[in-house]
């Protein structure tokens, strides 16, 4: 919806997506296997919320599959360990809000990283939220995927290898986001906001279309 309202080139309107979830996931993995989070290639995709997907199948550390790396370090990733990490990452925001009322510091740091990537044209890979029209199951929704970010905004969207289960979870997350987007679009096209815009002549036609 915002992408349509902004009428800007593709890639210049995007959300922070799952950058916080991805950072938390890497931190937890790093603590478990004893390596810096910056050395871990791991991503949380989909919705920034309950349906987000922790992509275990493609995680690597130093070019080594995460399960093999963990075994070499004597810290195997058992189903119980993975379940615990999944719960901690997925519920982190709720715990922080319960503790201090907001997650302002985390998202502030994430936005600062985004600004630096755009300012410096660093072409950093971040799990940002944006449309993905090339994926049929994402039609009508924005979701988080690894994206290369530079001065021109999102330059490329990456599509990591997923297991069958992860692919099904991503599709489920996309459906949830698509339904939420449809609800917002209906509200904008039929609610007080549209009436105000019609009265002022600002953006009413763009919302309606």
């Amino acid at each position: 919806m915002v992408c349509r309202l902004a009428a800007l080139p593709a890639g210049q309107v995007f959300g922070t997506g799952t950058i916080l979830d991805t950072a938390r996931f890497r931190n937890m993995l790093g603590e478990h296997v004893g390596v810096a989070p910056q050395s871990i290639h791991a991503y949380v995709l989909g919705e920034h919320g309950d349906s987000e997907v922790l992509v275990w199948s493609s995680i690597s550390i130093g070019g080594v599959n995460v399960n093999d790396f963990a075994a070499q370090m004597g810290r195997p990733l058992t189903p119980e360990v993975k379940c615990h990490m999944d719960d901690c990452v997925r519920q982190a925001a709720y715990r922080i809000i319960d503790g201090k009322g907001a997650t302002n510091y985390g998202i502030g740091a994430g936005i600062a990283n985004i600004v630096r990537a755009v300012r410096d044209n660093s072409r950093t890979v971040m799990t940002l939220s944006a449309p993905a029209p090339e994926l049929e199951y994402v039609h009508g929704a924005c979701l988080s995927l690894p994206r290369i970010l530079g001065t021109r905004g999102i330059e490329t969207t990456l599509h990591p290898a997923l297991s069958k289960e992860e692919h099904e979870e991503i599709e489920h997350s996309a459906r949830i986001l698509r339904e939420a987007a449809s609800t917002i679009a209906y509200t904008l096209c039929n609610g007080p906001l549209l009436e105000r815009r019609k009265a002022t002549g600002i953006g009413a036609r763009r919302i309606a279309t």
Side-chain angles (χ1 to χ4, degrees):
M1 179 60 66
V2 175
C3 293
R4 274 195 276 168
L5 289 172
L8 290 170
Q12 291 188 9
V13 180
F14 52 86
T16 54
T18 55
I19 59 172
L20 284 184
D21 312 275
T22 292
R24 290 166 182 149
F25 189 23
R26 292 176 180 178
N27 280 327
M28 291 203 69
L29 278 169
E31 289 176 3
H32 181 76
V33 300
V35 70
Q38 294 86 347
S39 299
I40 301 174
H41 294 281
Y43 301 98
V44 178
L45 308 181
E47 176 196 17
H48 171 54
D50 294 340
S51 72
E52 64 190 24
V53 181
L54 281 65
V55 181
W56 288 95
S57 63
S58 60
I59 300 174
S60 67
I61 305 174
V64 180
N65 173 273
V66 67
N67 292 309
D68 295 336
F69 186 94
Q72 290 178 33
M73 298 296 288
R75 300 299 307 275
L77 287 165
T78 64
E80 292 76 18
V81 169
K82 289 183 177 181
C83 184
H84 174 69
M85 287 190 189
D86 186 287
D87 179 70
C88 286
V89 171
R90 207 177 296 275
Q91 301 298 320
Y94 298 119
R95 295 190 178 101
I96 293 170
I97 291 170
D98 286 343
K100 69 184 187 72
T103 59
N104 47 337
Y105 292 113
I107 196 59
I111 291 171
N113 288 334
I114 289 173
V115 171
R116 276 192 290 270
V118 173
R119 181 195 65 190
D120 301 338
N121 195 30
S122 63
R123 296 175 59 82
T124 303
V125 176
M126 295 181 172
T127 50
L128 301 170
S129 176
E134 70 278 12
L135 298 178
E136 183 178 348
Y137 64 85
V138 183
H139 179 70
C142 293
L143 83 169
S144 300
L145 291 168
R147 292 181 159 98
I148 298 174
L149 183 66
T151 299
R152 294 180 297 172
I154 293 174
E155 299 185 5
T156 305
T157 295
L158 307 175
H159 304 289
L162 302 173
S163 68
K164 183 177 183 295
E165 181 181 1
E166 289 165 350
H167 194 278
E168 291 173 350
E169 290 174 350
I170 288 285
E171 288 189 355
H172 172 67
S173 189
R175 282 195 298 272
I176 289 174
L177 289 166
R178 190 163 54 245
E179 290 168 5
S182 297
T183 301
I184 294 170
Y186 178 83
T187 302
L188 287 173
C189 291
N190 296 276
L193 177 59
L194 181 62
E195 296 305 316
R196 288 198 298 271
R197 286 179 175 269
K198 283 181 177 178
T200 59
I202 300 174
R205 182 178 177 185
R206 191 176 295 164
I207 291 178
T209 58

